Amino acid sequence: GGLQTLVWSGVMMLSCVPMALSSVYKEKTMNNVDIDAILLNGYIAFYQFLACIPSAVPAALAQGMAIEDIPANTINGFKCYMGINSVVNATIPDMNDDCKWAPADVNAYLAFNVVYNILMILIMKYGSANIMFMALTLMVPMGNVAFSIPWVPGHQDLTPFDYSGLVVILTGLITYRFGGAIARLVGCG
């Protein structure tokens, strides 16, 4: 309902606060200390792993899973990662596991994610958190266009609303980044 949507929207907005603080902290740290981006990414991954352990309980409750099912669910997830089906002969045939491609899919995702995270750290190291968030904002229109490509699974054609949204986002980015220079160029600033 409406209240649940409002609550989860608030949770989503609050979840951006640690990310923003983390970006500012990383930028300040990298300006003062010469740290390797891969090492920093390793530290971040380690502490995120530690934080995800206590977060498993509220995550399970949010999706209606009993807390005592968390260990078995985790073990079954690792089995699937190794290519071993753990849910077979389900009452609904579509609910059976199909883990044969899981190792390749998960490892490809992990590789892209590591490269993405290292690139974000390098943007902060040689640029700023501000430039990183501009790059992240630019990913929205790029992702929108990418999911309109016919060979992408579940692709959808761009609608007039998509085009207008892309124009608004790109206009905002260009204005933010080059607005002062443009104003000085035309004599308004």
Side-chain angles (χ1 to χ4, degrees):
L3 180 61
Q4 186 176 13
T5 301
L6 186 64
V7 167
W8 286 112
S9 296
V11 169
M12 181 67 179
M13 286 188 285
L14 286 175
S15 74
C16 294
V17 173
M19 179 181 66
L21 293 175
S22 169
S23 297
V24 170
Y25 175 75
K26 286 181 235 174
E27 181 182 352
K28 295 290 184 196
T29 299
M30 287 187 287
N31 285 338
N32 297 330
V33 178
D34 187 30
I35 187 167
D36 183 62
I38 295 173
L39 178 65
L40 181 60
N41 195 45
Y43 281 131
I44 293 167
F46 174 73
Y47 287 110
Q48 284 178 341
F49 172 74
L50 292 181
C52 84
I53 295 170
S55 300
V57 172
L61 294 174
Q63 59 182 334
M65 180 193 304
I67 295 173
E68 57 270 8
D69 291 341
I70 294 173
N73 200 13
T74 303
I75 291 168
N76 287 340
F78 280 118
K79 284 181 183 176
C80 192
Y81 174 70
M82 301 306 289
I84 302 168
N85 293 333
S86 56
V87 178
V88 292
N89 300 325
T91 55
I92 302 170
D94 288 345
M95 297 301 291
N96 287 330
D97 279 348
D98 184 13
C99 297
K100 66 181 172 209
W101 291 106
D105 292 343
V106 172
N107 286 328
Y109 168 78
L110 290 174
F112 279 107
N113 202 1
V114 167
V115 169
Y116 168 80
N117 286 324
I118 290 171
L119 288 174
M120 289 294 112
I121 291 170
L122 291 173
I123 287 173
M124 278 191 289
K125 183 175 184 174
Y126 296 108
S128 67
N130 205 9
I131 292 173
M132 185 201 70
F133 280 107
M134 286 178 59
L136 289 174
T137 304
L138 191 58
M139 286 178 50
V140 172
M142 290 172 57
N144 208 355
V145 170
F147 282 107
S148 70
I149 298 171
W151 52 265
V152 172
H155 76 281
Q156 295 180 354
D157 293 332
L158 293 176
T159 67
F161 294 107
D162 293 323
Y163 288 113
S164 61
L166 295 174
V167 168
V168 168
I169 288 174
L170 292 175
T171 303
L173 283 172
I174 291 167
T175 303
Y176 178 79
R177 180 67 179 105
F178 302 109
I182 293 171
R184 283 190 298 277
L185 191 67
V186 295
C188 296

